[in-house]
Amino acid sequence: MAGQPSDETPISDDEWERFLKDAERETPASAPKEPSARARMVTARLREQDARGQAPEAWRAGPDRRVTERRGTRRRRLWAILGVPVAIVVALVAVKPSLLPGDPFGSGASDDVGAASPLPAETARPTAPPSSVAPDTATLADPFAGSPAKEYADGAAGIVLPKATAVGTFSAARVGQALRQTRELLVDANLDPVTLRGGRPETAFGVIEPKQTELVELLDMSLRKPDKDHDPLTMFSRFDPDEVRLAGDVVKTRGRMTFGAGEDGSLAVHADYTFVYPLVKAGDGATEVARTVVRRVLDLRLDDPGRYQVTPGKIAVKRYDQEIGNSACDVYDGFLHPGFDSDVPSGPSPSGSAVDPYDRSRTPEPDREEECGTVTRT
């Protein structure tokens, strides 16, 4: 036990492995955020054994992800200031065609009319907010009119991978795999028609390190029984098909992905993307278009299997944050609820500061308490 003299009899490797597995099994997903007494004892003993060179490297548990998951539950929800016809332009990536095949919400519309020239790829964070563009009204034929997203890439074509190179003990091939896995997670969580209609994002779950049991169970519970403490919107973009449908078959995407050496010999992957969803109300004859803007920032980690117990071919989520523009505040049913110009105001009045959801030069503020702010445009 931690605190005993350092000359105690060291335990065997087999006993140590059983001890760590027992500790993991006895820590449920609903455990408090702070480590239990048993967990603190395990941590203290691990450090003590490491200092004496008694714990084999192969038995070291992976890095603690509790802080990552706790920060991931914090989010900022933003209402739209409807009727503000100002838009912005950011330096972005654009390639066609859309990676959302067909018409996932059954709108029968197209965004080919009046398409703007695509922007170049975003290779670094912009240094200033985007310039404004001419105001215009979104329509079924042109759902991104009056928006900087009109020049964004279509769907997954906007998630362009950097060239993979070796990092530390990771070969260029393994780095490339981690980058593709990050892309798969982003696409399934934010662009896949099944996910957008409220279905289960199986590909995303298949990418995440299964040893992150607290995270996996939290996400699973959020999909089955969403509430304020189990909100699937922290990771996934979902709309109620009985309320809204996509205006056309395109979601616009803008962002960048980077990688480099992480802590403890790991590979760190950073992804920062904005997704713009054009929507109309469900039902025949709906023509009014509203847009919801979701920015997601993910930090993922690949650990050295020679130092940590990891699952081959999986990647761990170290941190996930998001900022949502134009969705009802204080609603925790697992769906985004966009506001339309024709809606009668309801719910709590926004009290937070105004934010431009297209301003990618701004750093999201995930550590502030959740608040209901406003967006200057959508």
Side-chain angles (χ1 to χ4, degrees), residues 319-373:
R319 172 177 172 178
Y320 59 112
D321 301 314
Q322 79 292 326
E323 198 166 75
I324 300 170
N326 191 20
S327 181
C329 295
D330 298 328
V331 178
Y332 300 98
D333 61 357
F335 296 112
L336 295 162
H337 296 281
F340 291 80
D341 282 331
S342 60
D343 289 342
V344 176
S346 63
S349 298
S351 57
S353 57
V355 171
D356 178 356
Y358 294 107
D359 181 5
R360 293 184 46 77
S361 69
R362 180 178 54 84
T363 301
E365 302 176 72
D367 291 329
R368 71 166 64 194
E369 292 302 319
E370 183 176 352
E371 66 177 32
C372 182

Side-chain angles (χ1 to χ4, degrees), residues 262-336:
E263 299 175 348
D264 303 318
S266 67
L267 169 70
V269 179
H270 179 77
D272 182 347
Y273 286 88
T274 297
F275 302 93
V276 185
Y277 303 91
L279 303 147
V280 294
K281 294 182 179 180
D284 296 335
T287 59
E288 182 184 5
V289 177
R291 289 184 289 257
T292 290
V293 184
V294 179
R295 183 176 178 182
R296 298 199 182 275
V297 181
L298 298 177
D299 286 305
L300 299 103
R301 172 172 177 150
L302 187 65
D303 290 305
D304 184 351
R307 301 182 62 187
Y308 297 107
Q309 296 177 356
V310 295
T311 305
K314 306 297 181 181
I315 191 166
V317 179
K318 181 180 179 182
R319 172 177 172 178
Y320 59 112
D321 301 314
Q322 79 292 326
E323 198 166 75
I324 300 170
N326 191 20
S327 181
C329 295
D330 298 328
V331 178
Y332 300 98
D333 61 357
F335 296 112
L336 295 162

Side-chain angles (χ1 to χ4, degrees), residues 54-240:
Q54 295 173 354
E57 192 75 10
W59 298 133
R60 290 182 62 185
D64 187 4
R65 310 272 203 276
R66 294 178 195 231
V67 174
T68 294
E69 292 156 15
R70 182 164 61 247
R71 294 182 71 178
T73 63
R74 301 194 181 191
R75 61 272 186 197
R76 193 173 184 210
R77 301 290 290 277
L78 304 169
W79 269 12
I81 298 179
L82 301 176
V84 179
V86 185
I88 313 176
V89 178
V90 204
L92 310 185
V93 71
V95 183
K96 277 217 173 197
S98 167
L99 280 227
L100 286 177
D103 191 356
F105 281 74
S107 68
S110 171
D111 75 326
D112 289 339
V113 177
S117 299
L119 292 168
E122 182 179 287
T123 57
R125 177 186 294 179
T127 58
S131 303
S132 32
V133 297
D136 202 351
T137 301
T139 64
L140 290 176
D142 194 0
F144 297 100
S147 165
K150 189 167 182 175
E151 295 182 300
Y152 289 10
D154 291 359
I159 306 177
V160 179
L161 302 183
K163 182 179 179 180
T165 58
V167 175
T169 60
F170 301 99
S171 66
R174 185 63 186 95
V175 171
Q177 181 185 22
L179 297 177
R180 290 190 298 273
Q181 289 174 315
T182 302
R183 188 177 190 268
E184 291 173 7
L185 175 58
L186 288 165
V187 169
D188 198 41
N190 301 283
L191 297 171
D192 187 87
V194 173
T195 303
L196 295 181
R197 288 194 296 263
R200 182 178 174 84
E202 295 291 355
T203 299
F205 276 93
V207 166
I208 298 173
E209 166 62 73
K211 293 184 184 295
Q212 289 190 286
T213 54
E214 290 185 29
L215 172 62
V216 173
E217 290 173 6
L218 173 66
L219 294 176
D220 183 68
M221 176 64 74
S222 73
L223 292 169
R224 290 187 289 109
K225 296 181 179 180
D227 57 33
K228 186 173 183 178
D229 295 323
H230 305 86
D231 188 354
L233 301 180
T234 59
M235 181 71 81
F236 310 118
S237 295
R238 310 167 80 239
F239 298 90
D240 184 349

